[in-house]
Amino acid sequence: MTAILGITFPIYAAIALGYLVVRQNWFSAADMRTLGKYVMNIALPALLFNAVASRNVTEVFQPGYVLAFAAGGVSMIALAFVWFSFTATDKPRRAIAVLGSTCPNSGFIGFPVMLLIFPDVAGVILALNM
């Protein structure tokens, strides 16, 4: 139980801290927009570069893994499209639902969890997924 808490606590603590920061209005909307741009344009690419640059190319690019990942993604898109075609009433809602059901959060949630569980291969998994 303590092992699971040790893995999940930092993630939930970061979520709670983010909630507290927004709730207390410590940053304005413009500040949050700037912080989001920093994360998407600088921090995440730097994380990916670090994960890829420290590995051998044959370790990072595995065609079989990429093919399986792509096949799973396309299958999920097709399944979600059919499902939401019957359940969603308008096209924009269907589009957002399909996007939300097929895009993994590998960079912000998946990588930290993998880094805690499998620190030796987390960078390779992140690079393969991205």
Side-chain angles (χ1 to χ4, degrees):
M1 181 68 176
T2 58
I4 293 171
L5 276 176
I7 292 169
T8 58
F9 177 75
I11 295 166
Y12 288 112
I15 292 170
L17 180 62
Y19 176 80
L20 179 69
V21 165
V22 171
R23 183 82 174 166
Q24 295 297 318
N25 292 322
W26 290 345
F27 293 108
S28 68
D31 295 337
M32 297 305 288
R33 195 172 5 258
T34 303
L35 185 60
K37 283 182 182 181
Y38 167 77
V39 168
M40 294 305 291
N41 295 329
I42 297 172
L44 188 58
L47 176 70
L48 288 173
F49 179 78
N50 186 34
V52 173
S54 62
R55 306 284 184 192
N56 190 351
V57 173
T58 57
E59 188 180 10
V60 173
F61 183 69
Q62 298 177 7
Y65 183 91
V66 173
L67 183 63
F69 195 82
V74 170
S75 299
M76 191 64 218
I77 288 171
L79 181 67
F81 182 80
V82 169
W83 175 263
F84 290 113
S85 290
F86 290 113
T87 60
T89 56
D90 56 344
K91 289 183 180 182
R93 182 177 171 89
R94 178 177 62 194
I96 296 298
V98 170
L99 177 68
S101 64
T102 57
C103 293
N105 195 346
S106 299
F108 298 115
I109 298 294
F111 181 66
V113 171
M114 291 302 291
L115 193 59
L116 291 169
I117 299 172
F118 305 114
D120 297 336
V121 295
V124 174
I125 294 170
L126 175 69
L128 286 168
N129 287 349
M130 293 292 197

